[in-house]
Amino acid sequence: MAVLLTIRPGVVAALAIYRHLPRPFSAQNADALASITRHLTQAIRKCGVTQCLATYANILEELYRRPNGAILVVEPPHREVLRSPNAAVLLEQWFAPSDLHSSGIPIPLKEQLEALVRMTPDARLGKDTWVRMHGNCARVVRFIELRAPEGSRKWALMMNELPNSIPLPEQMKCELTPTEVTVAMGMLSNWNDQRIAEELGISRNTVKSHVKSIFATLRVDGRLDLLYQAARLNMPV
């Protein structure tokens, strides 16, 4: 029994399970595997972002030297373990002094982290990202639980400032139809469905159908995830 895990455009992982006895897997076995597929996909995606979590301190410092990215590593509820060089700059730009907890961690991020810690893995799906729009940029924080062989688990808070208008990567273009490419480029320019419909001379419902197809084809969770994945492909780490 096997399942394919689509990590991102052009990257697919496979999980195969074998039995030592020559008899077929049951429907219950298949349902159990299906129930963990999304969690496996998300785990592999996060490992790809953070690379080797066993040495995350040194690796993440290298990955986030760029001025539009930074990282905090936190031990819940609010003990800061480390921060990359640009973290202080972004925190000062993103949050007012009144937004900061006594630990120095922004209160909105602290509260979301505390909520995530209390959630089950199923409940966390789709809720591990904090987003605020600012001018022509999206300020994004992704919460990633760092697995530890012993002791308390820490979380990486990955901060990125993503422009609302970025090119559509070639890897994504290859998977889409010509019309979908145009719609995707509109979304990456921060156009709403009505604006895209007007530019293409099609109905809003048709745009919605294309958007749904784009998300399914590219295996992204929504507009923000499309923006995030496109930014990563344009500036691979």
Side-chain angles (χ1 to χ4, degrees):
M1 183 168 61
V3 63
L4 287 178
L5 308 174
T6 304
I7 309 307
R8 60 178 184 271
V11 178
V12 178
L15 173 66
I17 300 175
Y18 298 89
R19 305 189 73 148
H20 67 282
L21 297 175
R23 68 169 184 249
F25 287 95
S26 67
Q28 185 178 6
N29 296 147
D31 289 342
L33 180 60
S35 70
I36 63 172
T37 298
R38 292 177 64 199
H39 296 286
L40 290 172
T41 302
Q42 187 177 55
I44 295 172
R45 283 178 179 174
K46 289 181 176 180
C47 287
V49 173
T50 58
Q51 301 297 314
C52 178
L53 297 182
T55 55
Y56 61 85
N58 293 331
I59 292 173
L60 293 175
E61 183 172 351
E62 289 299 321
L63 290 179
Y64 289 90
R65 289 185 184 276
R66 296 194 300 268
N68 62 340
I71 187 163
L72 292 175
V73 176
V74 177
E75 182 179 320
H78 50 70
R79 188 177 77 85
E80 183 179 315
V81 177
L82 67 85
R83 61 171 60 187
S84 62
N86 197 45
V89 176
L90 286 189
L91 288 173
E92 184 176 351
Q93 292 175 352
W94 290 17
F95 300 97
S98 59
D99 293 327
L100 300 181
H101 183 261
S102 58
S103 63
I105 300 172
I107 293 173
L109 304 185
K110 171 181 171 293
E111 291 177 345
Q112 185 156 343
L113 175 58
E114 290 174 344
L116 287 168
V117 169
R118 293 192 298 267
M119 292 179 186
T120 64
D122 281 334
R124 289 176 187 168
L125 289 172
K127 297 186 177 82
D128 56 359
T129 304
W130 177 94
V131 185
R132 292 295 182 274
M133 303 307 298
H134 182 80
N136 63 346
C137 291
R139 293 174 171 177
V140 181
V141 179
R142 288 186 172 241
F143 295 77
I144 300 178
E145 185 179 16
L146 304 177
R147 303 291 176 177
E150 58 184 20
S152 60
R153 290 180 176 176
K154 302 173 180 63
W155 286 69
L157 278 58
M158 301 174 57
M159 305 168 58
N160 284 275
E161 194 162 81
L162 305 176
N164 284 339
S165 180
I166 60 177
L168 183 67
E170 289 299 323
Q171 296 97 313
M172 290 183 169
K173 286 183 181 179
C174 292
E175 298 199 33
L176 303 176
T177 68
T179 301
E180 288 173 346
V181 166
T182 305
V183 172
M185 291 173 63
M187 287 193 284
L188 292 177
S189 297
N190 200 32
W191 293 355
N192 59 26
D193 290 349
Q194 185 61 41
R195 171 77 182 276
I196 295 173
E198 292 172 355
E199 292 289 336
L200 271 63
I202 57 180
S203 72
R204 190 172 177 180
N205 285 337
T206 300
V207 171
K208 290 181 178 180
S209 296
H210 284 309
V211 169
K212 184 177 180 180
S213 176
I214 290 167
F215 292 163
T217 301
L218 299 181
R219 281 78 64 184
V220 297
D221 298 330
R223 287 177 179 253
L224 174 64
D225 197 31
L226 174 66
L227 181 70
Y228 182 82
Q229 299 300 337
R232 288 194 63 230
L233 290 171
N234 280 317
M235 297 188 301
V237 294

